[in-house]
Amino acid sequence: MIFKLMGKHQHYNWGGADFIPTWLKLENNNGQPYAEYWLGAHRSAPSLVEFEQKWLPLDRLLDTAPELLGDEGRAKFGNELPYLLKILDVKLPLSIQLHPTKSQAEQGFLQEEQQGVPLTASHRTYKDRNHKPEMMIALSDFWLLHGFKPLTQIIQDLQNIASLAPLAERIQHQGLPKVYAEIMQADQPQLEQWLLPIIEQYRPDYQQGKLSLNQAEYWVLYTLEAMDIPLTKLDAGLLCFYLFNIVHLEKGEGIYQGAGLPHAYLRGQNIELMAASDNVIRGGLTPKYVDIPALLNIIDYSEVVPKIIPCYHPEQQESNLFLYPTPLAQDFALQRLDFKAFSEERFTSSSASILLVMEGSLYLDLGNNAIHLKQGESVFISANTQVESIGEQNGYAVVATLP
Ligand SMILES: [Zn+2]
């Protein structure tokens, strides 16, 4: 079965006011931020499905008719849709964050339940029992922090900055975890000692547009400005630009982030597909609740060399349905369906899927009728459904499904 689907918006203040409204053809006269558009069945913001001319929350439909998820999916993930598909517009940098493994999430959720922390409390960390690996495909030039750099690189980069050179020395003697814990818990005078010389030295070049976006100093100054951080209230997260990989994705490229990997989205728009969870442990650059002990408990200090998911090249493909390679993902897989006017594509979705039209328009032939989908419109497809799509206006859709 195929149901028309309508997502939910999240108006977090780091979001841009234009990208998502323009893409969805919504009016946004008062300039409200549109940070995220969610498609899925997460209990905190389920999408709506059209059923007998009414709109129902997708989680409720799946509660009543779990067979729509298919036997294979239910055997692995129970009666839940295991993934969440999002469109993001990152105008201001997001917090430095990481996501727990499944067992950490189960433990953390239980603990907070036992302590009686309400689910909606601002200091609540675990909103559900699930892990949250995630992948993303850039819709524009996209910048992010992604995992700790190789140690030799961290030491070299710190040694190049006079005020940070003592940190390089200490990492060599005491190891990264101990020094990182101290950085994250440093007081204001200490942060000033590390950061003010950098800010003073590089500000003129920053203002004249002379810094490269691959440079930590650019992002220190940009973040101060974008997040309006006063010099008297510096954030330990600013030091992370020297510790983590600064990654640039070109439009169409992607990246996968597993549990425990520290990361932060800095700028750009993307498609995100993740396990259905809202568990975020924050480590700086945010006015939201920051739980440093929880962060230090589960952060992954491994040296990371970013693996970019390559851009999709239609001319190199035999089929119009392309699977983005994410070998580590268990809870989700992302496909891209390219279409031209009048082109037909037939496929069977073996597990429950969400199809979202990113550009152009198509229709799904249901035999006795059809569902027309324009840019930004989507459907929920139950497991083992044969899909027949016919292009109307050239474009492409993404399909979230199980591997
Ligand atoms: Zn994340």
Side-chain angles (χ1 to χ4, degrees):
M1 290 177 88
I2 302 180
F3 303 85
K4 252 195 128 165
L5 191 67
M6 199 159 43
K8 288 273 172 77
H9 300 285
Q10 302 284 9
H11 301 282
Y12 308 135
N13 58 9
W14 49 259
D18 301 321
F19 180 77
I20 289 177
T22 304
W23 177 65
L24 291 174
K25 300 197 167 54
L26 301 172
E27 298 232 337
N28 187 26
N29 295 331
N30 55 4
Q32 208 188 3
Y34 278 75
E36 302 188 351
Y37 182 63
W38 286 28
L39 288 168
H42 194 272
R43 306 268 171 191
S44 70
S47 301
L48 302 175
V49 278
E50 195 177 26
F51 183 66
E52 294 178 342
Q53 276 118 49
K54 281 198 200 106
W55 289 95
L56 295 178
L58 178 58
D59 58 332
R60 288 239 308 276
L61 177 76
L62 296 175
D63 285 346
T64 356
E67 63 276 9
L68 296 174
L69 293 163
D71 294 340
E72 221 178 293
R74 288 171 79 187
K76 265 198 193 151
F77 303 102
N79 291 342
E80 304 280 339
L81 186 67
Y83 55 79
L84 183 58
L85 178 66
K86 296 180 182 178
I87 301 296
L88 262 69
D89 179 14
V90 180
K91 190 176 173 213
L92 303 177
L94 268 71
S95 55
I96 293 165
Q97 55 184 253
L98 48 87
H99 308 296
T101 61
K102 209 158 203 160
S103 67
Q104 286 159 350
E106 274 162 6
Q107 224 180 343
F109 184 86
L110 188 69
Q111 204 176 0
E112 284 184 314
E113 287 291 285
Q114 283 167 349
Q115 289 163 353
V117 185
L119 260 180
T120 49
S122 60
H123 62 289
R124 175 91 186 207
T125 300
Y126 293 93
K127 311 270 174 68
D128 50 67
R129 294 180 180 83
N130 208 3
H131 62 169
K132 191 178 177 253
E134 51 196 14
M135 70 172 288
M136 59 154 281
I137 303 295
L139 292 171
S140 64
D141 269 315
F142 198 95
W143 293 87
L144 74 155
L145 292 176
H146 175 88
F148 282 97
K149 291 187 282 196
L151 203 57
T152 48
Q153 184 79 55
I154 293 179
I155 290 168
Q156 200 183 352
D157 290 351
L158 293 172
Q159 278 168 342
N160 285 338
I161 304 282
S163 67
L164 301 182
L167 284 173
E169 180 125 335
R170 298 221 340 258
I171 289 173
Q172 281 169 312
H173 291 114
Q174 300 171 345
L176 179 62
K178 186 152 193 297
V179 178
Y180 179 70
E182 281 174 29
I183 291 174
M184 293 315 289
Q185 293 169 96
D187 59 14
Q188 178 64 25
Q190 177 63 75
L191 291 173
E192 286 177 14
Q193 205 184 330
W194 286 329
L195 289 163
L196 287 186
I198 300 173
I199 295 167
E200 274 160 34
Q201 185 186 342
Y202 287 93
R203 183 167 264 158
D205 281 353
Y206 172 75
Q207 285 168 338
Q208 290 165 37
K210 286 186 186 160
L211 298 183
S212 145
L213 274 70
N214 293 309
Q215 240 177 303
E217 294 79 26
Y218 170 86
W219 291 103
V220 169
L221 283 144
Y222 170 75
T223 305
L224 280 174
E225 181 183 71
M227 298 187 72
D228 218 359
I229 300 174
L231 297 184
T232 50
K233 275 194 181 149
L234 292 169
D235 188 312
L238 294 166
L239 268 301
C240 291
F241 293 113
Y242 291 91
L243 307 175
F244 298 158
N245 292 293
I246 299 172
V247 178
H248 172 218
L249 299 175
E250 286 180 27
K251 184 177 175 176
E253 290 181 330
I255 204 158
Y256 172 83
Q257 323 201 86
L261 185 108
H263 58 278
Y265 289 165
L266 300 173
R267 189 194 289 161
Q269 287 98 33
N270 68 10
I271 304 169
E272 243 197 330
L273 182 58
M274 66 203 67
S277 169
D278 205 15
N279 287 330
V280 182
I281 293 145
R282 296 187 177 84
L285 300 186
T286 176
K288 287 192 192 169
Y289 180 60
V290 173
D291 188 346
I292 297 295
L295 176 93
L296 296 175
N297 213 2
I298 68 170
I299 193 165
D300 183 351
Y301 289 102
S302 314
E303 304 185 3
V304 176
V305 177
K307 286 190 196 73
I308 311 273
I309 301 169
C311 204
Y312 162 85
H313 290 289
E315 64 283 2
Q316 293 167 7
Q317 305 303 321
E318 283 177 15
S319 152
N320 292 323
L321 196 60
F322 167 78
L323 176 70
Y324 287 101
T326 46
L328 296 172
Q330 310 267 318
D331 304 53
F332 52 77
L334 189 69
Q335 294 173 311
R336 173 178 164 131
L337 170 68
D338 270 52
F339 52 84
K340 292 199 166 74
F342 307 112
S343 71
E344 278 185 45
E345 192 67 37
R346 244 176 241 210
F347 59 96
T348 303
S349 69
S350 56
S351 47
S353 306
I354 289 175
L355 180 149
L356 167 65
V357 174
M358 297 300 302
E359 268 175 43
S361 61
L362 56 73
Y363 70 95
L364 302 174
D365 191 347
L366 306 181
N368 46 2
N369 61 29
I371 296 180
H372 288 257
L373 297 173
K374 298 193 298 268
Q375 177 174 306
E377 295 184 327
S378 55
V379 286
F380 175 75
I381 304 167
S382 67
N384 307 311
T385 300
Q386 162 103 33
V387 181
E388 257 191 86
S389 82
I390 294 133
E392 287 182 321
Q393 266 185 321
N394 296 2
Y396 77 101
V398 289
V399 183
T401 187
L402 287 184

